[in-house]
Amino acid sequence: MTDVLPTVPSTEPAHPTVVIALDVGGTGIKSALVRPDGSTHHSERHPTGADRGPAEVVETILAVAEGLAGRARADGLAPVAVGIAVPGVVDQAAGVAVWSANLGFRDVPLRDLVTERLGLPSALGHDVRVGGIAEARLGAGRGDRYVLFVAIGTGIAAALTIDGTAFVGAHGAAGELGHIVVRPDGPTCGCGQIGCLEAVASAAAVGRRYTALAGSASTGDRVSAAEVVRRAAGGEELAGRIWQETVDALADGLLIAQALYDPAVVVVGGGLAEAGDDLLVPLRTALRARLTFHREPRLVPAALGDEAGCLGAALLALDTIGDLETGSADHIP
Ligand SMILES: [Zn+2]
């Protein structure tokens, strides 16, 4: 009689493996089946439907993940793990979405819920931090050990990655660059503080400030940050002034980040980064003017666009498998 090997949840080695990845945002869910080399086999987008309440959002997340597992098997692939990214405060070690204003989440044990439903190992991460992991390993930060990813969109957040792993913090809240106070006499931030970087230089703040000063608020037409950039490039005085204020505030924030983290490269992503050189060229100049002893980081645009979060969730899932295989429980440096 031959020895029976201890059974491990089958990864069906006869089939190529994929991981299931979800990036859950306030309005939409980006999801994909991702191969171990980081390439995408299949992707889907779904509405989040956050107005239905957190329980319904969780149910949608589980259903989308289940659907992708079924799709993988139908395509002759073996789904081996699930990675999920959410905004807000995330306790990655415990797999708990601690708090998310956009999703209405409070202490949702999402990782265990996914594992229960799908019977697969799962990982939960913060959307910007996993985006940073993806840019560091697969995108614009590839080849550098110390990468700071800065996402400038509706809000501002950052992720420090070292050797492709994100620094999480003791409470899952590291990287809140948007809530560094850069203008103590500035506008009130959504967090309650006055003069946070996010209150001055997020895409939402730029549009809001321009609209208010241009006097078009009364007509109800909110001018977008992208439009402010266009008008500034076209030589409009007000747009130019607001854009320079924005760049200066971002440079103040990046100077603090450089002093604290000394990254080799700063990868700028999020909606405002779509301004391209209209952002990066003056931002490099403004940051350089502020450096004293600091070494200047390379300031580069993100390479993965809005796929970064989903790819990063996949990388987290792949790390989980790696941890199981090597018996290592801790990925935090
Ligand atoms: Zn704030």
Side-chain angles (χ1 to χ4, degrees), residues 195-279:
C196 290
L197 178 59
E198 176 172 305
V200 179
S202 66
V206 171
R208 195 164 51 230
R209 199 156 73 257
Y210 181 91
T211 302
L213 290 173
S216 48
S218 55
T219 63
D221 294 331
R222 164 76 69 86
V223 178
S224 70
E227 179 60 23
V228 174
V229 174
R230 264 193 299 277
R231 292 183 189 186
E236 192 200 289
E237 194 276 331
L238 175 63
R241 182 156 53 83
I242 286 174
W243 189 236
Q244 189 58 50
E245 287 170 6
T246 303
V247 165
D248 285 339
L250 288 171
D252 287 339
L254 289 184
L255 180 71
I256 292 169
Q258 195 63 27
L260 292 175
Y261 301 136
D262 187 29
V265 56
V266 175
V267 177
V268 183
L272 205 67
E274 284 163 26
D277 279 351
D278 286 337
L279 172 64

Side-chain angles (χ1 to χ4, degrees), residues 178-180 189-193 196-199:
H179 300 284
I180 285 177
C189 181
C191 77
Q193 183 58 267
C196 290
L197 178 59
E198 176 172 305

Side-chain angles (χ1 to χ4, degrees), residues 13-327:
H15 299 286
T17 59
V18 284
V19 294
I20 296 164
L22 281 80
D23 177 15
V24 183
T27 54
I29 300 173
K30 291 155 202 141
S31 63
L33 295 170
V34 178
R35 301 183 191 94
D37 67 359
S39 63
T40 299
H41 168 73
H42 167 78
S43 63
E44 294 175 9
R45 296 196 178 206
H46 299 268
T48 305
D51 54 338
R52 299 170 303 152
E56 291 299 317
V57 173
V58 168
E59 188 50 42
T60 298
I61 290 169
L62 296 174
V64 169
E66 248 181 338
L68 283 167
R71 166 75 191 233
R73 293 189 182 102
D75 290 352
L77 303 168
V80 290
V82 186
I84 298 186
V86 297
V89 176
V90 178
D91 185 338
Q92 187 173 319
V96 174
V98 176
W99 177 83
S100 169
N102 290 343
L103 303 174
F105 282 3
R106 255 203 119 82
D107 296 320
V108 178
L110 204 48
R111 183 189 63 197
D112 290 349
L113 291 172
V114 170
T115 293
E116 259 169 46
R117 178 73 72 93
L118 276 83
L120 294 172
S122 307
L124 181 70
H126 177 264
D127 58 351
V128 174
R129 279 200 291 271
V130 302
I133 291 173
E135 287 290 350
R137 295 194 206 170
L138 304 171
R142 201 154 63 160
D144 279 299
R145 293 187 61 199
Y146 297 91
V147 178
L148 185 72
F149 174 60
V150 179
I152 311 170
T154 312
I156 296 177
L160 175 71
T161 61
I162 303 169
D163 294 330
T165 298
F167 178 74
V168 171
H171 314 94
E176 293 289 358
L177 188 70
H179 300 284
I180 285 177
V181 175
V182 294
R183 296 292 177 268
D185 54 351
T188 302
C189 181
C191 77
Q193 183 58 267
I194 292 170
C196 290
L197 178 59
E198 176 172 305
V200 179
S202 66
V206 171
R208 195 164 51 230
R209 199 156 73 257
Y210 181 91
T211 302
L213 290 173
S216 48
S218 55
T219 63
D221 294 331
R222 164 76 69 86
V223 178
S224 70
E227 179 60 23
V228 174
V229 174
R230 264 193 299 277
R231 292 183 189 186
E236 192 200 289
E237 194 276 331
L238 175 63
R241 182 156 53 83
I242 286 174
W243 189 236
Q244 189 58 50
E245 287 170 6
T246 303
V247 165
D248 285 339
L250 288 171
D252 287 339
L254 289 184
L255 180 71
I256 292 169
Q258 195 63 27
L260 292 175
Y261 301 136
D262 187 29
V265 56
V266 175
V267 177
V268 183
L272 205 67
E274 284 163 26
D277 279 351
D278 286 337
L279 172 64
L280 290 178
V281 171
L283 187 53
R284 277 189 203 107
T285 304
L287 178 59
R288 193 170 296 148
R290 286 162 170 76
L291 299 173
T292 57
F293 64 90
H294 325 74
R295 297 293 295 274
E296 184 176 352
R298 286 191 299 116
L299 207 57
V300 300
L304 302 174
D306 72 353
E307 301 291 332
C310 196
L311 283 172
L315 292 171
L316 266 194
L318 288 164
D319 288 351
T320 304
I321 305 292
D323 286 346
L324 291 177
E325 283 174 355
T326 60

